[in-house]
Structures are given as C-alpha cells and as structure tokens.
Amino acid sequence: MNKELSPATLLHVVCDYKAGGMEFGEITNRLQYHLSEPHSVRIHPTEVPPLDTMAIGFVTAQYAYAPHRGKMVIYGNAAPRRDSAKAKKSNIDHGIKYARLKNGVEIINVWSEYAFGFVKKDIVELRDIDCPDKGSQFRSRDFFPDRVAQIVNGDHSNLKKQLDINEIPEIPHNLVAWTDGFGNIKTTMRKSDLDQMEFAVGQSVQVICNGVSMLGVIATGGFTVDRGVLAVNAGSSGYDDPFVELFLRVHQMSEKTAAVRFDYPAGGTEVEIKKV
C-alpha cells in the first residue's frame, strides 16, 4: 500500500534582490543549510523593487491569503532605510518580526512601515525575534535565514516579547502598491472604495499619479475597454474585495503601458481619482 505523502512546506522568500541573482542564490543556500528537512520545503523566490516595503507588504498578503495545502511560511525583506541619513555603527538596521495569522500562515518580515499592514486584521500573534541586527552588511544571508529556518523547522524558541498589533500602521487607500510585469499599476484602493465614492461603470474619471494626469474610465476589467484606453477597475489581487488597478490596454509591450504613462511610480506614491 502506498503511503500518502504529506504536502511540502511552501516557503515564499520575498526580497528586493534580483530573483535569479547571486544574492537570492546565497540566501537560498543558507536556508537549505539550516533547514532540518530541506527536501520537504519548496522555496519560491519573489523579487520586489529595491527598498520597496509597500511591495513587501502587498505580496506578503497576496500569498498569505491564497488557498494552500500544508504549511506556508513567508519571509520578506526590504527596508526603506529612510529613518536616518547618518552612518550606523556596525551596519545596525531594521530587525525581523514574526506574525501568525488566523489561517495558520507564519510571516517573518523586516520591521518596516508597510510590511505587515495588509495582513494586520488577521494577525493573532505578533512577536519580536531574537536575531542580531548589526555586525553584517548582508544580514539577509548571515543572520536571517537561520531564524527563518528554525521557524520552518517548528522551533519557536527565538520568539521573544509580544508586540502590540496596533503599532502596525494602517495602509492608506490611495497609494501605489505594486506594478505587475505587464505595466498595470495595482493600488491600495479597494473595489468597495469605488462603490462608496459612487463611481459607475463607464464613467469618465481623471487619474493623477506621480505628477501625471490622465483621463480614464471606470470599467469591470482591463479588457472591457478599447486599446489605448486607461481602465480603472477591480483587478486580480485582493480576493473578496479586490484592489483597484490602472490598466492601460496595449497589444504589444513596446506600447506605453500604465506604468510608462505614469512614469513608473514607486510603491507608496499617491493616487487620486476624480470625477470629470
């Protein structure tokens, strides 16, 4: 009789390094080294823009709420490094924190402004992690993988004091969250926000973002408008209450996508949608 195999643990590694680059390779190597059963853990790397903590939080939530079998752990690392312009002794910087959600997903993210905001409402445990926060310029390789692997292994002995979930900043509903590979700009605005503002499908709007103003139309999807028209619609992220995205329909990637037209807005850039 064949013994039923347990599903592999899924470990999402979300960092602001090049997905196929040496940094991701070194981090994966260290994770494999510290995992007690590396053959039973599937590591999936996701690249986010450099220093983009908004993207870390957005991707964390999109993965955390996805249907899954077995154990899922998410490790995210991107720190904005905007808190001080002065030199830091021994490369000291942001540490990592631990969160467990209602659905059992465990998250280890660098403590930065948006890293936990998208999952805040479902956190049932938020803790500090005993981990060096100085002594290496590459803590993502030298220190963090050991602690992440311990948690994947089921060892929570390095979890320290409880943290106040209320200290996690709320996510404003008027910011750029993520730009996908097709140049569509996903925002922190929800479909329910459009409904509350009483926008109707087919209504013309003015979209202002990153110093650029463009006319668009409220749509049910990016492909429901003509080529070259900016659609403002509930996108593919956000599950029950999808995030609104700016979708400029093009037929070839050589055409100007929404990202190009709005001059590649960084995560956290304000977005305004006005009736015309």
Side-chain angles (χ1 to χ4, degrees):
M1 180 181 294
N2 291 329
K3 184 178 179 181
E4 185 176 349
L5 296 177
S6 299
T9 294
L10 179 56
L11 173 56
H12 284 289
V13 180
V14 187
C15 294
D16 55 352
Y17 302 119
K18 199 70 178 174
M22 185 178 71
E23 295 84 1
F24 256 119
E26 290 196 75
I27 292 168
T28 300
N29 187 83
R30 291 297 178 93
L31 286 166
Q32 290 277 329
Y33 175 75
H34 290 295
L35 289 168
S36 59
E37 297 181 356
H39 60 280
S40 66
V41 180
R42 184 171 299 156
I43 299 174
H44 178 263
T46 299
E47 173 191 349
V48 301
L51 310 181
D52 192 342
T53 176
M54 174 65 78
I56 286 288
F58 184 82
V59 174
T60 292
Q62 191 64 20
Y63 286 160
Y65 292 130
H68 63 278
R69 294 181 179 178
K71 186 174 184 177
M72 183 195 290
V73 179
I74 300 169
Y75 161 46
N77 184 5
R81 304 178 187 178
R82 291 193 295 266
D83 54 352
S84 176
K86 295 182 179 180
K88 297 184 178 182
K89 187 176 181 179
S90 297
N91 290 296
I92 190 170
D93 208 343
H94 302 74
I96 50 176
K97 311 299 179 186
Y98 168 88
R100 179 171 55 87
L101 305 188
K102 292 177 182 177
N103 65 0
V105 171
E106 296 178 288
I107 299 168
I108 304 101
N109 274 353
V110 169
W111 187 246
S112 50
E113 53 190 335
Y114 299 119
F116 291 95
F118 289 93
V119 296
K120 177 179 178 179
K121 65 181 179 62
D122 291 309
I123 294 176
V124 295
E125 183 180 7
L126 182 66
R127 289 184 178 272
D128 200 3
I129 297 177
D130 184 11
C131 182
D133 59 0
K134 60 183 178 180
S136 171
Q137 184 172 315
F138 197 1
R139 295 170 308 148
S140 307
R141 176 198 64 196
D142 298 333
F143 302 143
F144 296 164
D146 177 34
R147 299 304 193 265
V148 172
Q150 284 183 350
I151 291 170
V152 175
N153 293 339
D155 178 359
H156 295 80
S157 60
N158 276 303
L159 298 186
K160 298 305 178 183
K161 67 178 181 179
Q162 292 267 10
L163 302 176
D164 185 357
I165 296 173
N166 293 319
E167 291 184 2
I168 298 173
E170 297 289 340
I171 303 293
H173 285 205
N174 65 330
L175 304 177
V176 171
W178 174 259
T179 299
D180 68 21
F182 293 98
N184 305 314
I185 300 171
K186 299 176 185 289
T187 75
T188 60
M189 183 178 293
R190 299 275 192 173
K191 180 181 183 299
S192 58
D193 294 320
L194 288 182
D195 296 338
Q196 290 177 9
M197 290 186 287
E198 298 182 342
F199 284 118
V201 173
Q203 183 174 0
S204 296
V205 293
Q206 180 185 14
V207 180
I208 303 170
C209 177
N210 206 27
V212 177
S213 176
M214 188 173 179
L215 291 178
V217 61
I218 303 296
T220 57
F223 294 103
T224 63
V225 300
D226 292 334
R227 182 179 184 179
V229 173
L230 178 68
V232 180
N233 59 273
S236 58
S237 302
Y239 300 101
D240 294 339
D241 191 9
F243 291 104
V244 173
E245 67 182 34
L246 309 178
F247 186 116
L248 185 59
R249 184 176 178 183
V250 298
H251 287 191
Q252 300 176 19
M253 290 308 294
S254 60
E255 300 178 59
K256 291 185 176 180
T257 64
V260 174
R261 293 294 295 270
F262 287 103
D263 196 22
Y264 300 99
T269 302
E270 290 190 10
V271 179
E272 184 179 6
I273 301 175
K274 300 166 60 175
K275 297 178 181 179
V276 295

